[in-house]
PDB file of all heavy atoms in Angstrom:
ATOM      1  N   GLN E 199       5.485 -18.632  15.705  1.00  0.00           N
ATOM      2  CA  GLN E 199       5.273 -19.478  14.539  1.00  0.00           C
ATOM      3  C   GLN E 199       3.984 -20.280  14.700  1.00  0.00           C
ATOM      4  O   GLN E 199       3.363 -20.292  15.762  1.00  0.00           O
ATOM      5  CB  GLN E 199       6.466 -20.415  14.345  1.00  0.00           C
ATOM      6  CG  GLN E 199       7.805 -19.702  14.249  1.00  0.00           C
ATOM      7  CD  GLN E 199       7.889 -18.767  13.060  1.00  0.00           C
ATOM      8  OE1 GLN E 199       7.675 -19.189  11.923  1.00  0.00           O
ATOM      9  NE2 GLN E 199       8.198 -17.505  13.308  1.00  0.00           N
ATOM     10  N   ALA E 200       3.574 -20.960  13.635  1.00  0.00           N
ATOM     11  CA  ALA E 200       2.315 -21.696  13.658  1.00  0.00           C
ATOM     12  C   ALA E 200       2.300 -22.806  14.706  1.00  0.00           C
ATOM     13  O   ALA E 200       1.242 -23.162  15.220  1.00  0.00           O
ATOM     14  CB  ALA E 200       2.030 -22.276  12.279  1.00  0.00           C
ATOM     15  N   ASP E 201       3.467 -23.364  15.029  1.00  0.00           N
ATOM     16  CA  ASP E 201       3.522 -24.435  16.032  1.00  0.00           C
ATOM     17  C   ASP E 201       3.707 -23.910  17.449  1.00  0.00           C
ATOM     18  O   ASP E 201       3.922 -24.683  18.375  1.00  0.00           O
ATOM     19  CB  ASP E 201       4.645 -25.424  15.686  1.00  0.00           C
ATOM     20  CG  ASP E 201       6.032 -24.785  15.682  1.00  0.00           C
ATOM     21  OD1 ASP E 201       6.142 -23.581  15.992  1.00  0.00           O
ATOM     22  OD2 ASP E 201       7.008 -25.498  15.361  1.00  0.00           O
ATOM     23  N   GLY E 202       3.654 -22.588  17.615  1.00  0.00           N
ATOM     24  CA  GLY E 202       3.758 -22.002  18.942  1.00  0.00           C
ATOM     25  C   GLY E 202       5.148 -21.559  19.339  1.00  0.00           C
ATOM     26  O   GLY E 202       5.317 -20.836  20.326  1.00  0.00           O
ATOM     27  N   ARG E 203       6.178 -21.984  18.569  1.00  0.00           N
ATOM     28  CA  ARG E 203       7.542 -21.562  18.881  1.00  0.00           C
ATOM     29  C   ARG E 203       7.701 -20.065  18.617  1.00  0.00           C
ATOM     30  O   ARG E 203       7.014 -19.479  17.794  1.00  0.00           O
ATOM     31  CB  ARG E 203       8.561 -22.311  18.026  1.00  0.00           C
ATOM     32  CG  ARG E 203       8.684 -23.792  18.285  1.00  0.00           C
ATOM     33  CD  ARG E 203       9.712 -24.417  17.349  1.00  0.00           C
ATOM     34  NE  ARG E 203       9.379 -24.196  15.943  1.00  0.00           N
ATOM     35  CZ  ARG E 203      10.123 -23.500  15.087  1.00  0.00           C
ATOM     36  NH1 ARG E 203      11.275 -22.939  15.497  1.00  0.00           N
ATOM     37  NH2 ARG E 203       9.765 -23.355  13.825  1.00  0.00           N
ATOM     38  N   ILE E 204       8.679 -19.472  19.304  1.00  0.00           N
ATOM     39  CA  ILE E 204       9.129 -18.114  18.997  1.00  0.00           C
ATOM     40  C   ILE E 204      10.460 -18.260  18.276  1.00  0.00           C
ATOM     41  O   ILE E 204      11.411 -18.840  18.806  1.00  0.00           O
ATOM     42  CB  ILE E 204       9.301 -17.264  20.268  1.00  0.00           C
ATOM     43  CG1 ILE E 204       7.989 -17.208  21.054  1.00  0.00           C
ATOM     44  CG2 ILE E 204       9.786 -15.866  19.903  1.00  0.00           C
ATOM     45  CD1 ILE E 204       6.847 -16.531  20.313  1.00  0.00           C
ATOM     46  N   ALA E 205      10.534 -17.758  17.054  1.00  0.00           N
ATOM     47  CA  ALA E 205      11.739 -17.940  16.249  1.00  0.00           C
ATOM     48  C   ALA E 205      12.019 -16.685  15.441  1.00  0.00           C
ATOM     49  O   ALA E 205      11.083 -16.020  14.959  1.00  0.00           O
ATOM     50  CB  ALA E 205      11.580 -19.133  15.308  1.00  0.00           C
ATOM     51  N   PRO E 206      13.308 -16.334  15.268  1.00  0.00           N
ATOM     52  CA  PRO E 206      13.648 -15.203  14.387  1.00  0.00           C
ATOM     53  C   PRO E 206      13.342 -15.553  12.944  1.00  0.00           C
ATOM     54  O   PRO E 206      13.354 -16.729  12.555  1.00  0.00           O
ATOM     55  CB  PRO E 206      15.145 -15.011  14.614  1.00  0.00           C
ATOM     56  CG  PRO E 206      15.630 -16.339  15.100  1.00  0.00           C
ATOM     57  CD  PRO E 206      14.504 -16.968  15.848  1.00  0.00           C
ATOM     58  N   GLU E 207      13.083 -14.517  12.144  1.00  0.00           N
ATOM     59  CA  GLU E 207      12.808 -14.720  10.721  1.00  0.00           C
ATOM     60  C   GLU E 207      13.692 -13.816   9.880  1.00  0.00           C
ATOM     61  O   GLU E 207      13.990 -12.682  10.272  1.00  0.00           O
ATOM     62  CB  GLU E 207      11.339 -14.428  10.400  1.00  0.00           C
ATOM     63  CG  GLU E 207      10.376 -15.434  11.001  1.00  0.00           C
ATOM     64  CD  GLU E 207       8.961 -15.244  10.475  1.00  0.00           C
ATOM     65  OE1 GLU E 207       8.779 -14.474   9.500  1.00  0.00           O
ATOM     66  OE2 GLU E 207       8.039 -15.859  11.040  1.00  0.00           O
ATOM     67  N   PRO E 208      14.115 -14.288   8.705  1.00  0.00           N
ATOM     68  CA  PRO E 208      14.887 -13.441   7.793  1.00  0.00           C
ATOM     69  C   PRO E 208      14.039 -12.282   7.276  1.00  0.00           C
ATOM     70  O   PRO E 208      12.815 -12.386   7.169  1.00  0.00           O
ATOM     71  CB  PRO E 208      15.253 -14.395   6.643  1.00  0.00           C
ATOM     72  CG  PRO E 208      14.992 -15.767   7.167  1.00  0.00           C
ATOM     73  CD  PRO E 208      13.916 -15.644   8.178  1.00  0.00           C
ATOM     74  N   VAL E 209      14.710 -11.190   6.968  1.00  0.00           N
ATOM     75  CA  VAL E 209      14.053 -10.036   6.353  1.00  0.00           C
ATOM     76  C   VAL E 209      14.826  -9.648   5.098  1.00  0.00           C
ATOM     77  O   VAL E 209      15.920 -10.135   4.851  1.00  0.00           O
ATOM     78  CB  VAL E 209      13.974  -8.837   7.326  1.00  0.00           C
ATOM     79  CG1 VAL E 209      13.106  -9.174   8.522  1.00  0.00           C
ATOM     80  CG2 VAL E 209      15.362  -8.388   7.761  1.00  0.00           C
ATOM     81  N   MET E 210      14.209  -8.775   4.291  1.00  0.00           N
ATOM     82  CA  MET E 210      14.864  -8.272   3.082  1.00  0.00           C
ATOM     83  C   MET E 210      14.840  -6.750   3.118  1.00  0.00           C
ATOM     84  O   MET E 210      14.108  -6.130   3.899  1.00  0.00           O
ATOM     85  CB  MET E 210      14.137  -8.774   1.834  1.00  0.00           C
ATOM     86  CG  MET E 210      12.713  -8.285   1.747  1.00  0.00           C
ATOM     87  SD  MET E 210      11.896  -8.767   0.226  1.00  0.00           S
ATOM     88  CE  MET E 210      10.233  -8.192   0.576  1.00  0.00           C
ATOM     89  N   ASP E 211      15.608  -6.139   2.270  1.00  0.00           N
ATOM     90  CA  ASP E 211      15.692  -4.689   2.190  1.00  0.00           C
ATOM     91  C   ASP E 211      14.406  -4.128   1.577  1.00  0.00           C
ATOM     92  O   ASP E 211      13.926  -4.617   0.546  1.00  0.00           O
ATOM     93  CB  ASP E 211      16.893  -4.307   1.313  1.00  0.00           C
ATOM     94  CG  ASP E 211      17.272  -2.842   1.436  1.00  0.00           C
ATOM     95  OD1 ASP E 211      16.371  -1.999   1.603  1.00  0.00           O
ATOM     96  OD2 ASP E 211      18.479  -2.541   1.342  1.00  0.00           O
ATOM     97  N   ALA E 212      13.848  -3.101   2.203  1.00  0.00           N
ATOM     98  CA  ALA E 212      12.646  -2.468   1.664  1.00  0.00           C
ATOM     99  C   ALA E 212      12.887  -1.876   0.275  1.00  0.00           C
ATOM    100  O   ALA E 212      11.940  -1.710  -0.511  1.00  0.00           O
ATOM    101  CB  ALA E 212      12.147  -1.384   2.616  1.00  0.00           C
ATOM    102  N   ALA E 213      14.140  -1.571  -0.050  1.00  0.00           N
ATOM    103  CA  ALA E 213      14.449  -1.049  -1.386  1.00  0.00           C
ATOM    104  C   ALA E 213      14.123  -2.065  -2.469  1.00  0.00           C
ATOM    105  O   ALA E 213      13.802  -1.691  -3.606  1.00  0.00           O
ATOM    106  CB  ALA E 213      15.917  -0.648  -1.469  1.00  0.00           C
ATOM    107  N   ASP E 214      14.182  -3.358  -2.146  1.00  0.00           N
ATOM    108  CA  ASP E 214      13.828  -4.379  -3.134  1.00  0.00           C
ATOM    109  C   ASP E 214      12.330  -4.340  -3.433  1.00  0.00           C
ATOM    110  O   ASP E 214      11.908  -4.570  -4.565  1.00  0.00           O
ATOM    111  CB  ASP E 214      14.247  -5.759  -2.632  1.00  0.00           C
ATOM    112  CG  ASP E 214      15.754  -5.884  -2.491  1.00  0.00           C
ATOM    113  OD1 ASP E 214      16.473  -5.307  -3.328  1.00  0.00           O
ATOM    114  OD2 ASP E 214      16.216  -6.533  -1.538  1.00  0.00           O
ATOM    115  N   VAL E 215      11.541  -4.049  -2.417  1.00  0.00           N
ATOM    116  CA  VAL E 215      10.104  -3.855  -2.624  1.00  0.00           C
ATOM    117  C   VAL E 215       9.874  -2.629  -3.502  1.00  0.00           C
ATOM    118  O   VAL E 215       9.077  -2.652  -4.444  1.00  0.00           O
ATOM    119  CB  VAL E 215       9.380  -3.692  -1.281  1.00  0.00           C
ATOM    120  CG1 VAL E 215       7.907  -3.374  -1.499  1.00  0.00           C
ATOM    121  CG2 VAL E 215       9.554  -4.927  -0.418  1.00  0.00           C
ATOM    122  N   ALA E 216      10.583  -1.554  -3.181  1.00  0.00           N
ATOM    123  CA  ALA E 216      10.394  -0.296  -3.919  1.00  0.00           C
ATOM    124  C   ALA E 216      10.706  -0.465  -5.398  1.00  0.00           C
ATOM    125  O   ALA E 216       9.997   0.075  -6.254  1.00  0.00           O
ATOM    126  CB  ALA E 216      11.274   0.796  -3.305  1.00  0.00           C
ATOM    127  N   ARG E 217      11.734  -1.221  -5.715  1.00  0.00           N
ATOM    128  CA  ARG E 217      12.072  -1.439  -7.129  1.00  0.00           C
ATOM    129  C   ARG E 217      10.965  -2.214  -7.844  1.00  0.00           C
ATOM    130  O   ARG E 217      10.688  -1.979  -9.026  1.00  0.00           O
ATOM    131  CB  ARG E 217      13.406  -2.161  -7.248  1.00  0.00           C
ATOM    132  CG  ARG E 217      14.600  -1.238  -7.033  1.00  0.00           C
ATOM    133  CD  ARG E 217      15.886  -1.927  -7.438  1.00  0.00           C
ATOM    134  NE  ARG E 217      16.266  -2.947  -6.477  1.00  0.00           N
ATOM    135  CZ  ARG E 217      17.005  -2.706  -5.386  1.00  0.00           C
ATOM    136  NH1 ARG E 217      17.427  -1.473  -5.137  1.00  0.00           N
ATOM    137  NH2 ARG E 217      17.327  -3.671  -4.561  1.00  0.00           N
ATOM    138  N   THR E 218      10.331  -3.123  -7.124  1.00  0.00           N
ATOM    139  CA  THR E 218       9.235  -3.883  -7.723  1.00  0.00           C
ATOM    140  C   THR E 218       8.029  -2.979  -7.973  1.00  0.00           C
ATOM    141  O   THR E 218       7.385  -3.063  -9.029  1.00  0.00           O
ATOM    142  CB  THR E 218       8.847  -5.060  -6.814  1.00  0.00           C
ATOM    143  OG1 THR E 218      10.008  -5.838  -6.533  1.00  0.00           O
ATOM    144  CG2 THR E 218       7.810  -5.945  -7.484  1.00  0.00           C
ATOM    145  N   VAL E 219       7.704  -2.128  -7.020  1.00  0.00           N
ATOM    146  CA  VAL E 219       6.602  -1.184  -7.213  1.00  0.00           C
ATOM    147  C   VAL E 219       6.889  -0.273  -8.401  1.00  0.00           C
ATOM    148  O   VAL E 219       6.010  -0.003  -9.231  1.00  0.00           O
ATOM    149  CB  VAL E 219       6.359  -0.357  -5.935  1.00  0.00           C
ATOM    150  CG1 VAL E 219       5.330   0.749  -6.194  1.00  0.00           C
ATOM    151  CG2 VAL E 219       5.892  -1.255  -4.796  1.00  0.00           C
ATOM    152  N   ARG E 220       8.126   0.191  -8.496  1.00  0.00           N
ATOM    153  CA  ARG E 220       8.485   1.046  -9.632  1.00  0.00           C
ATOM    154  C   ARG E 220       8.273   0.317 -10.951  1.00  0.00           C
ATOM    155  O   ARG E 220       7.736   0.885 -11.911  1.00  0.00           O
ATOM    156  CB  ARG E 220       9.929   1.513  -9.502  1.00  0.00           C
ATOM    157  CG  ARG E 220      10.415   2.298 -10.718  1.00  0.00           C
ATOM    158  CD  ARG E 220      11.896   2.637 -10.613  1.00  0.00           C
ATOM    159  NE  ARG E 220      12.417   3.079 -11.901  1.00  0.00           N
ATOM    160  CZ  ARG E 220      13.701   3.306 -12.148  1.00  0.00           C
ATOM    161  NH1 ARG E 220      14.600   3.135 -11.193  1.00  0.00           N
ATOM    162  NH2 ARG E 220      14.094   3.702 -13.342  1.00  0.00           N
TER     163      ARG E 220
END
Side-chain angles (χ1 to χ4, degrees):
Q199 305 298 304
D201 62 2
R203 293 179 302 117
I204 303 297
E207 292 189 11
V209 296
M210 62 176 174
D211 194 325
D214 295 324
V215 175
R217 282 192 287 273
T218 306
V219 173
R220 174 185 166 187

